[in-house]
Amino acid sequence: MTVTEREAREVAEAAREQDWRKPSFAKELFLGRFRLDLIHPHPAPDPESVQRGEDFLTKLRTFCETSIDGALIERESQIPDDVINGLKGLGALGMKVGTEYGGLGLSQVYYNKALALAGSASPAVGALLSAHQSIGVPQPLKLFGTQEQKDAFLPRCATTDISAFLLTEPDVGSDPARLATTAVPDGDHYVLDGVKLWTTNGVVADLLVVMARVPKSDGHPGGISAFVVEGDAEGITVENRNAFMGLRGIENGVTRFHQVRVPKANLIGKEGAGLKIALTTLNTGRLSLPATCVGAGKWCLKIAREWSEARVQWGKPVAKHEAVGGKMAFMAATTFALEAVVDLSSQMADEDRNDIRIEAALAKLFGSEMAWQMADDLVQIRGGRGYETAASLAARGEKGIPAEQLLRDMRINRIFEGSTEIMHLLIAREAVDAHLSVAGELIDPEATFADKRKAALAAGGFYARWLPKLVAGAGQLPNAYAEFDNLAPHLRYVERTARKLARSTFYAMSRWQGRMETKQNFLARIVDIGAELFAMSAACVRAEQMRRDDENGKAAHQLADAFCRQSRVRVEELFSRLWHNTDDLDRTVVKGIMNGSYTWLEEGVLDASTDGAWIADQTPGPSTKENAHRPIR
């Protein structure tokens, strides 16, 4: 399909949650308002959910230790059926499904802890469980399904059936306006035709959530819609099981639909609500990915510590050399902060008092970037052994440390469930929502003069009240947040910097107006600053909670202090690059690249790529390939 840039934006905008019915700490932060009261004191889980969660973690840990062979999964690129069946018997498929449907009914906090634990045994297992419950059938049905749909499908998802989420297509990634899979009404059914790419769990799935476009017709408003589809329905062919640089046991494929009949009763929500359902599902579903990143950080720290005790260079353990010690300090401080971000966001999700759409997105963005850096640092600390495979290390008599595997496994986190670039734009859109609500038509080049005048009046009133509040605040008071002891200066810094961030955003909107959306690098830096401020806030709040309730409270304060100091350095660098950067020159170079001015630079090498189309054909029709669908027996 061919759509204009404006049409693509309109589709994405229509899929957003338009209202803010609950408070949001992160939204307020981007507006320059440091609402510490929304996260402090740190929300606490109820004792029953803690007991239920701890009981399951104990069982899961035993299962992971005795039944999951991560090296085998890596070597054979497949999770054995008996492991998946064991997870089913343990109830792991139903962690997020309510007890009334046969699930475990775990809180978001303990669901994330379980994913981190399972992912540390095998990232492929963590991905299977996460895709099934975070974005597969259970979550959208929990939020949008009818009672009949919940009764029919949730018990299956909790005990026996693996689910998958199918949105991406060969020529459609983060631009769903061009979605080509169709669902044509036919009596009491819809008929699905199309091809879906990168269907995590799709190779083994029993149930699918499929996004397809319903044509507009009499009685049908049409639009992108969500359906529950049986994985073995006639006309479904898994045409390929994809292979990747990491997550080698992941069951990810290409799925073709040809004249697949789906009962109308399997439509989730209304026609045209599919993208809104997908995005709402991801509001909490995104928390599963940073949870696995927390697990990766913990493992990196453990291996770095143990290795640095054993490895001696120039007469002392390598950890005592500043070049290595700095990386280890980054690991420890960042792992503490990332766990604080995930736990805080998850607990807020459980309590359902706050809107966490920005917090969850920030957690995904921050977690994926930081976990990649920690994995890379671990490989560097291990040196040649970091680059060597675990199997090779073991073959020559050394401890088989899969550091290079972790690096490969972590790399995908910066791409799927919203690439870093898309997350920057998504969060930026939410961060400036208040501005667009009052001044959107004022900066819209296609708005009429009358609309601009009306918007100017509304914007004038909003900014007359808002801008004066960005001048001064608690961050300038020497005794503010004194209850946080040595962390108080960091919270004062967050408060001051949040106001500075809001002023910078306002200035940019005034300067660029309707062109603001094209300044993607600027927006990325704004979002990255917000992510750091959120992480600093979460780290301080968690450290203070631990000082009151945990024997490790003093150490937690030290880690929070270290993280905040490291974070402040990154924030100041990001601020300096808001206005002093090479963005304009870079755009000129890109034009030169695309018009062929630099093709001479590409000479002198061979292209090892094989022949083939850049984007595979997705023409609807019957499959010509053998079905690679592999039900778990």
Side-chain angles (χ1 to χ4, degrees), residues 481-527:
Y481 316 114
E483 67 270 26
F484 284 83
D485 196 31
N486 66 307
L487 300 181
H490 299 312
L491 291 178
R492 292 196 291 270
Y493 175 83
V494 172
E495 195 279 336
R496 293 194 306 273
T497 307
R499 287 186 281 112
K500 181 179 179 181
L501 182 65
R503 293 195 300 268
S504 299
T505 305
F506 173 74
Y507 173 71
M509 291 191 67
S510 302
R511 176 179 176 180
W512 291 314
Q513 299 187 26
R515 293 183 294 126
M516 178 81 158
E517 65 183 25
T518 69
K519 307 296 181 179
Q520 295 181 357
N521 288 334
F522 175 89
L523 292 173
R525 297 176 192 118
I526 288 288
V527 169

Short mmCIF file of all heavy atoms in Angstrom, two decimals, residues 481-527:
data_model
loop_
_atom_site.label_atom_id
_atom_site.label_comp_id
_atom_site.label_asym_id
_atom_site.label_seq_id
_atom_site.Cartn_x
_atom_site.Cartn_y
_atom_site.Cartn_z
N TYR A 481 13.97 18.02 50.22
CA TYR A 481 14.11 16.55 50.17
C TYR A 481 15.15 16.05 51.18
O TYR A 481 15.84 15.05 50.95
CB TYR A 481 14.49 16.07 48.76
CG TYR A 481 13.68 16.73 47.67
CD1 TYR A 481 14.27 17.57 46.74
CD2 TYR A 481 12.29 16.52 47.58
CE1 TYR A 481 13.53 18.19 45.75
CE2 TYR A 481 11.54 17.13 46.59
CZ TYR A 481 12.16 17.97 45.68
OH TYR A 481 11.42 18.58 44.71
N ALA A 482 15.25 16.73 52.31
CA ALA A 482 16.27 16.40 53.31
C ALA A 482 16.11 14.99 53.85
O ALA A 482 17.10 14.39 54.31
CB ALA A 482 16.21 17.41 54.46
N GLU A 483 14.89 14.43 53.80
CA GLU A 483 14.68 13.07 54.33
C GLU A 483 15.46 12.02 53.56
O GLU A 483 15.65 10.89 54.03
CB GLU A 483 13.18 12.72 54.34
CG GLU A 483 12.54 12.56 52.98
CD GLU A 483 11.96 13.86 52.43
OE1 GLU A 483 12.46 14.94 52.82
OE2 GLU A 483 11.00 13.79 51.62
N PHE A 484 15.93 12.38 52.36
CA PHE A 484 16.70 11.44 51.56
C PHE A 484 18.19 11.48 51.87
O PHE A 484 18.99 10.79 51.23
CB PHE A 484 16.49 11.72 50.07
CG PHE A 484 15.17 11.25 49.55
CD1 PHE A 484 14.03 12.04 49.71
CD2 PHE A 484 15.04 10.03 48.90
CE1 PHE A 484 12.80 11.62 49.23
CE2 PHE A 484 13.81 9.61 48.41
CZ PHE A 484 12.69 10.39 48.58
N ASP A 485 18.57 12.28 52.85
CA ASP A 485 19.95 12.33 53.33
C ASP A 485 20.91 12.67 52.18
O ASP A 485 20.75 13.67 51.50
CB ASP A 485 20.31 11.01 54.01
CG ASP A 485 21.57 11.11 54.87
OD1 ASP A 485 21.81 12.20 55.42
OD2 ASP A 485 22.31 10.12 54.98
N ASN A 486 21.90 11.80 51.92
CA ASN A 486 22.92 12.13 50.91
C ASN A 486 22.39 12.11 49.49
O ASN A 486 23.06 12.55 48.57
CB ASN A 486 24.09 11.14 51.02
CG ASN A 486 23.68 9.72 50.67
OD1 ASN A 486 22.73 9.19 51.23
ND2 ASN A 486 24.40 9.08 49.75
N LEU A 487 21.16 11.62 49.29
CA LEU A 487 20.57 11.60 47.96
C LEU A 487 19.76 12.86 47.67
O LEU A 487 19.34 13.08 46.53
CB LEU A 487 19.67 10.38 47.79
CG LEU A 487 20.36 9.01 47.95
CD1 LEU A 487 19.35 7.89 47.73
CD2 LEU A 487 21.53 8.87 46.98
N ALA A 488 19.54 13.68 48.68
CA ALA A 488 18.74 14.90 48.50
C ALA A 488 19.28 15.81 47.39
O ALA A 488 18.49 16.34 46.59
CB ALA A 488 18.63 15.65 49.83
N PRO A 489 20.60 16.02 47.31
CA PRO A 489 21.10 16.88 46.21
C PRO A 489 20.72 16.36 44.83
O PRO A 489 20.51 17.16 43.90
CB PRO A 489 22.62 16.86 46.42
CG PRO A 489 22.80 16.55 47.87
CD PRO A 489 21.69 15.61 48.22
N HIS A 490 20.64 15.04 44.68
CA HIS A 490 20.28 14.48 43.37
C HIS A 490 18.81 14.76 43.05
O HIS A 490 18.48 15.04 41.90
CB HIS A 490 20.55 12.98 43.36
CG HIS A 490 21.99 12.63 43.58
ND1 HIS A 490 23.01 13.23 42.89
CD2 HIS A 490 22.57 11.74 44.44
CE1 HIS A 490 24.17 12.73 43.31
NE2 HIS A 490 23.94 11.84 44.23
N LEU A 491 17.94 14.67 44.05
CA LEU A 491 16.54 14.97 43.80
C LEU A 491 16.34 16.46 43.50
O LEU A 491 15.50 16.83 42.69
CB LEU A 491 15.69 14.53 44.99
CG LEU A 491 15.59 13.01 45.19
CD1 LEU A 491 14.78 12.68 46.43
CD2 LEU A 491 14.99 12.34 43.97
N ARG A 492 17.13 17.30 44.18
CA ARG A 492 17.06 18.72 43.86
C ARG A 492 17.52 18.95 42.42
O ARG A 492 16.96 19.79 41.69
CB ARG A 492 17.90 19.53 44.85
CG ARG A 492 17.33 19.55 46.26
CD ARG A 492 17.95 20.65 47.11
NE ARG A 492 19.35 20.41 47.44
CZ ARG A 492 19.78 19.76 48.51
NH1 ARG A 492 18.89 19.25 49.37
NH2 ARG A 492 21.06 19.61 48.75
N TYR A 493 18.52 18.21 42.01
CA TYR A 493 19.00 18.31 40.62
C TYR A 493 17.91 17.87 39.65
O TYR A 493 17.69 18.52 38.61
CB TYR A 493 20.24 17.43 40.44
CG TYR A 493 20.75 17.37 39.02
CD1 TYR A 493 21.58 18.37 38.52
CD2 TYR A 493 20.38 16.33 38.16
CE1 TYR A 493 22.05 18.33 37.21
CE2 TYR A 493 20.83 16.28 36.85
CZ TYR A 493 21.67 17.28 36.38
OH TYR A 493 22.11 17.24 35.08
N VAL A 494 17.20 16.78 39.96
CA VAL A 494 16.13 16.30 39.09
C VAL A 494 15.06 17.37 38.95
O VAL A 494 14.58 17.65 37.84
CB VAL A 494 15.53 14.99 39.62
CG1 VAL A 494 14.28 14.61 38.82
CG2 VAL A 494 16.55 13.85 39.55
N GLU A 495 14.70 17.98 40.07
CA GLU A 495 13.64 19.01 40.02
C GLU A 495 14.07 20.20 39.17
O GLU A 495 13.32 20.66 38.30
CB GLU A 495 13.31 19.47 41.45
CG GLU A 495 12.00 20.24 41.58
CD GLU A 495 12.12 21.72 41.20
OE1 GLU A 495 13.26 22.27 41.28
OE2 GLU A 495 11.11 22.33 40.81
N ARG A 496 15.29 20.66 39.36
CA ARG A 496 15.78 21.80 38.57
C ARG A 496 15.89 21.44 37.09
O ARG A 496 15.52 22.22 36.21
CB ARG A 496 17.17 22.24 39.06
CG ARG A 496 17.22 22.83 40.44
CD ARG A 496 18.56 23.53 40.68
NE ARG A 496 19.73 22.68 40.42
CZ ARG A 496 20.29 21.87 41.31
NH1 ARG A 496 19.77 21.79 42.54
NH2 ARG A 496 21.36 21.17 41.00
N THR A 497 16.39 20.23 36.85
CA THR A 497 16.64 19.83 35.47
C THR A 497 15.34 19.55 34.73
O THR A 497 15.26 19.76 33.51
CB THR A 497 17.55 18.58 35.45
OG1 THR A 497 18.72 18.86 36.25
CG2 THR A 497 17.98 18.24 34.04
N ALA A 498 14.32 19.07 35.43
CA ALA A 498 13.02 18.86 34.79
C ALA A 498 12.48 20.19 34.28
O ALA A 498 11.92 20.27 33.17
CB ALA A 498 12.04 18.22 35.77
N ARG A 499 12.65 21.25 35.06
CA ARG A 499 12.19 22.57 34.60
C ARG A 499 13.02 23.05 33.41
O ARG A 499 12.49 23.62 32.46
CB ARG A 499 12.25 23.58 35.76
CG ARG A 499 11.16 23.37 36.79
CD ARG A 499 11.13 24.45 37.86
NE ARG A 499 12.15 24.27 38.87
CZ ARG A 499 13.21 25.06 39.05
NH1 ARG A 499 13.38 26.10 38.24
NH2 ARG A 499 14.08 24.82 40.01
N LYS A 500 14.31 22.79 33.45
CA LYS A 500 15.18 23.16 32.33
C LYS A 500 14.79 22.38 31.07
O LYS A 500 14.78 22.95 29.97
CB LYS A 500 16.64 22.88 32.70
CG LYS A 500 17.63 23.26 31.61
CD LYS A 500 19.06 22.96 32.06
CE LYS A 500 20.07 23.30 30.96
NZ LYS A 500 21.47 23.00 31.39
N LEU A 501 14.46 21.11 31.25
CA LEU A 501 14.04 20.28 30.12
C LEU A 501 12.76 20.83 29.50
O LEU A 501 12.62 20.90 28.26
CB LEU A 501 13.83 18.84 30.59
CG LEU A 501 13.43 17.82 29.53
CD1 LEU A 501 14.53 17.64 28.50
CD2 LEU A 501 13.12 16.47 30.20
N ALA A 502 11.81 21.21 30.36
CA ALA A 502 10.55 21.76 29.85
C ALA A 502 10.78 23.08 29.12
O ALA A 502 10.16 23.35 28.08
CB ALA A 502 9.58 21.95 31.02
N ARG A 503 11.67 23.91 29.65
CA ARG A 503 11.97 25.18 28.98
C ARG A 503 12.61 24.93 27.62
O ARG A 503 12.29 25.61 26.63
CB ARG A 503 12.90 26.04 29.85
CG ARG A 503 12.28 26.55 31.13
CD ARG A 503 13.11 27.67 31.75
NE ARG A 503 14.47 27.26 32.06
CZ ARG A 503 14.87 26.76 33.23
NH1 ARG A 503 13.98 26.60 34.21
NH2 ARG A 503 16.13 26.43 33.44
N SER A 504 13.48 23.94 27.55
CA SER A 504 14.14 23.62 26.28
C SER A 504 13.13 23.13 25.25
O SER A 504 13.21 23.49 24.07
CB SER A 504 15.22 22.56 26.50
OG SER A 504 16.22 23.01 27.39
N THR A 505 12.19 22.32 25.71
CA THR A 505 11.16 21.81 24.80
C THR A 505 10.29 22.95 24.28
O THR A 505 9.97 23.02 23.08
CB THR A 505 10.28 20.77 25.52
OG1 THR A 505 11.12 19.73 26.04
CG2 THR A 505 9.27 20.16 24.57
N PHE A 506 9.91 23.85 25.18
CA PHE A 506 9.09 24.99 24.78
C PHE A 506 9.83 25.88 23.78
O PHE A 506 9.27 26.31 22.76
CB PHE A 506 8.69 25.81 26.00
CG PHE A 506 7.98 27.09 25.66
CD1 PHE A 506 6.67 27.08 25.22
CD2 PHE A 506 8.63 28.31 25.77
CE1 PHE A 506 6.02 28.26 24.88
CE2 PHE A 506 7.99 29.49 25.44
CZ PHE A 506 6.68 29.47 25.00
N TYR A 507 11.09 26.13 24.04
CA TYR A 507 11.88 26.96 23.13
C TYR A 507 11.96 26.31 21.75
O TYR A 507 11.83 26.99 20.72
CB TYR A 507 13.28 27.18 23.69
CG TYR A 507 14.19 27.89 22.71
CD1 TYR A 507 14.01 29.24 22.41
CD2 TYR A 507 15.23 27.21 22.08
CE1 TYR A 507 14.83 29.89 21.50
CE2 TYR A 507 16.05 27.85 21.17
CZ TYR A 507 15.85 29.19 20.88
OH TYR A 507 16.65 29.82 19.97
N ALA A 508 12.16 24.99 21.72
CA ALA A 508 12.26 24.28 20.44
C ALA A 508 10.94 24.36 19.67
O ALA A 508 10.94 24.57 18.45
CB ALA A 508 12.64 22.82 20.68
N MET A 509 9.83 24.22 20.38
CA MET A 509 8.53 24.32 19.71
C MET A 509 8.31 25.72 19.17
O MET A 509 7.75 25.90 18.08
CB MET A 509 7.41 23.92 20.67
CG MET A 509 7.39 22.45 21.02
SD MET A 509 5.89 21.96 21.89
CE MET A 509 4.65 22.19 20.63
N SER A 510 8.73 26.72 19.92
CA SER A 510 8.59 28.10 19.46
C SER A 510 9.46 28.36 18.23
O SER A 510 9.07 29.08 17.32
CB SER A 510 8.97 29.06 20.58
OG SER A 510 8.18 28.85 21.73
N ARG A 511 10.62 27.75 18.22
CA ARG A 511 11.58 27.96 17.14
C ARG A 511 11.20 27.22 15.86
O ARG A 511 11.24 27.80 14.76
CB ARG A 511 12.97 27.52 17.61
CG ARG A 511 14.07 27.59 16.56
CD ARG A 511 15.39 27.15 17.18
NE ARG A 511 16.46 27.11 16.20
CZ ARG A 511 17.72 26.75 16.48
NH1 ARG A 511 18.04 26.43 17.73
NH2 ARG A 511 18.65 26.73 15.54
N TRP A 512 10.84 25.95 16.01
CA TRP A 512 10.61 25.12 14.83
C TRP A 512 9.14 24.92 14.49
O TRP A 512 8.80 24.53 13.39
CB TRP A 512 11.28 23.76 15.01
CG TRP A 512 12.77 23.83 15.00
CD1 TRP A 512 13.55 24.51 14.12
CD2 TRP A 512 13.66 23.19 15.92
NE1 TRP A 512 14.89 24.34 14.43
CE2 TRP A 512 14.99 23.52 15.52
CE3 TRP A 512 13.49 22.36 17.03
CZ2 TRP A 512 16.11 23.06 16.22
CZ3 TRP A 512 14.60 21.90 17.71
CH2 TRP A 512 15.90 22.25 17.31
N GLN A 513 8.25 25.13 15.45
CA GLN A 513 6.80 25.00 15.26
C GLN A 513 6.45 23.68 14.56
O GLN A 513 6.78 22.61 15.06
CB GLN A 513 6.28 26.22 14.51
CG GLN A 513 6.50 27.52 15.27
CD GLN A 513 5.85 28.70 14.62
OE1 GLN A 513 4.86 28.59 13.89
NE2 GLN A 513 6.38 29.89 14.88
N GLY A 514 5.83 23.75 13.39
CA GLY A 514 5.38 22.53 12.72
C GLY A 514 6.50 21.63 12.26
O GLY A 514 6.29 20.44 11.98
N ARG A 515 7.74 22.17 12.19
CA ARG A 515 8.88 21.36 11.76
C ARG A 515 9.49 20.57 12.93
O ARG A 515 10.45 19.83 12.74
CB ARG A 515 9.95 22.25 11.12
CG ARG A 515 9.52 22.87 9.80
CD ARG A 515 10.66 23.68 9.19
NE ARG A 515 10.99 24.84 10.01
CZ ARG A 515 12.20 25.11 10.46
NH1 ARG A 515 13.20 24.30 10.18
NH2 ARG A 515 12.43 26.19 11.19
N MET A 516 8.92 20.75 14.12
CA MET A 516 9.46 20.09 15.31
C MET A 516 9.52 18.57 15.12
O MET A 516 10.48 17.92 15.53
CB MET A 516 8.57 20.42 16.52
CG MET A 516 8.99 19.75 17.80
SD MET A 516 10.35 20.62 18.60
CE MET A 516 10.14 20.04 20.28
N GLU A 517 8.51 18.01 14.47
CA GLU A 517 8.46 16.56 14.32
C GLU A 517 9.58 16.02 13.43
O GLU A 517 9.89 14.84 13.47
CB GLU A 517 7.10 16.13 13.75
CG GLU A 517 6.84 16.63 12.35
CD GLU A 517 5.45 16.26 11.84
OE1 GLU A 517 4.56 16.05 12.69
OE2 GLU A 517 5.28 16.18 10.63
N THR A 518 10.20 16.89 12.63
CA THR A 518 11.31 16.44 11.78
C THR A 518 12.64 16.47 12.53
O THR A 518 13.63 15.92 12.03
CB THR A 518 11.43 17.32 10.53
OG1 THR A 518 11.87 18.64 10.91
CG2 THR A 518 10.09 17.42 9.80
N LYS A 519 12.68 17.09 13.69
CA LYS A 519 13.91 17.20 14.47
C LYS A 519 14.06 15.98 15.37
O LYS A 519 14.03 16.07 16.60
CB LYS A 519 13.92 18.50 15.28
CG LYS A 519 13.67 19.75 14.46
CD LYS A 519 14.79 19.97 13.44
CE LYS A 519 14.57 21.25 12.62
NZ LYS A 519 15.66 21.49 11.64
N GLN A 520 14.22 14.83 14.74
CA GLN A 520 14.18 13.57 15.49
C GLN A 520 15.37 13.41 16.43
O GLN A 520 15.22 12.83 17.51
CB GLN A 520 14.09 12.41 14.51
CG GLN A 520 12.79 12.40 13.73
CD GLN A 520 12.69 11.22 12.77
OE1 GLN A 520 13.61 10.43 12.63
NE2 GLN A 520 11.56 11.12 12.08
N ASN A 521 16.53 13.90 16.05
CA ASN A 521 17.69 13.79 16.95
C ASN A 521 17.52 14.67 18.18
O ASN A 521 17.89 14.28 19.29
CB ASN A 521 18.98 14.15 16.21
CG ASN A 521 19.39 13.09 15.21
OD1 ASN A 521 19.05 11.92 15.37
ND2 ASN A 521 20.12 13.48 14.18
N PHE A 522 16.96 15.86 17.97
CA PHE A 522 16.68 16.73 19.11
C PHE A 522 15.68 16.06 20.05
O PHE A 522 15.89 16.02 21.27
CB PHE A 522 16.12 18.07 18.62
CG PHE A 522 15.69 18.99 19.73
CD1 PHE A 522 16.60 19.87 20.29
CD2 PHE A 522 14.39 18.97 20.22
CE1 PHE A 522 16.21 20.71 21.33
CE2 PHE A 522 13.99 19.81 21.25
CZ PHE A 522 14.90 20.68 21.81
N LEU A 523 14.61 15.53 19.49
CA LEU A 523 13.60 14.87 20.31
C LEU A 523 14.18 13.67 21.05
O LEU A 523 13.82 13.40 22.20
CB LEU A 523 12.42 14.43 19.44
CG LEU A 523 11.58 15.56 18.83
CD1 LEU A 523 10.57 15.00 17.84
CD2 LEU A 523 10.88 16.35 19.92
N ALA A 524 15.08 12.93 20.39
CA ALA A 524 15.71 11.78 21.04
C ALA A 524 16.50 12.21 22.26
O ALA A 524 16.47 11.55 23.32
CB ALA A 524 16.61 11.05 20.05
N ARG A 525 17.22 13.33 22.15
CA ARG A 525 17.99 13.82 23.30
C ARG A 525 17.09 14.28 24.43
O ARG A 525 17.38 14.03 25.60
CB ARG A 525 18.92 14.95 22.85
CG ARG A 525 19.96 14.50 21.83
CD ARG A 525 20.81 15.65 21.31
NE ARG A 525 21.59 15.22 20.15
CZ ARG A 525 21.48 15.71 18.93
NH1 ARG A 525 20.61 16.70 18.70
NH2 ARG A 525 22.20 15.24 17.95
N ILE A 526 15.98 14.92 24.08
CA ILE A 526 15.01 15.33 25.09
C ILE A 526 14.49 14.10 25.85
O ILE A 526 14.42 14.08 27.09
CB ILE A 526 13.83 16.08 24.43
CG1 ILE A 526 14.26 17.47 23.96
CG2 ILE A 526 12.63 16.16 25.38
CD1 ILE A 526 14.50 18.46 25.07
N VAL A 527 14.15 13.06 25.11
CA VAL A 527 13.62 11.83 25.73
C VAL A 527 14.69 11.15 26.58
O VAL A 527 14.41 10.67 27.68
CB VAL A 527 13.10 10.88 24.64
CG1 VAL A 527 12.80 9.50 25.22
CG2 VAL A 527 11.83 11.46 24.01
#
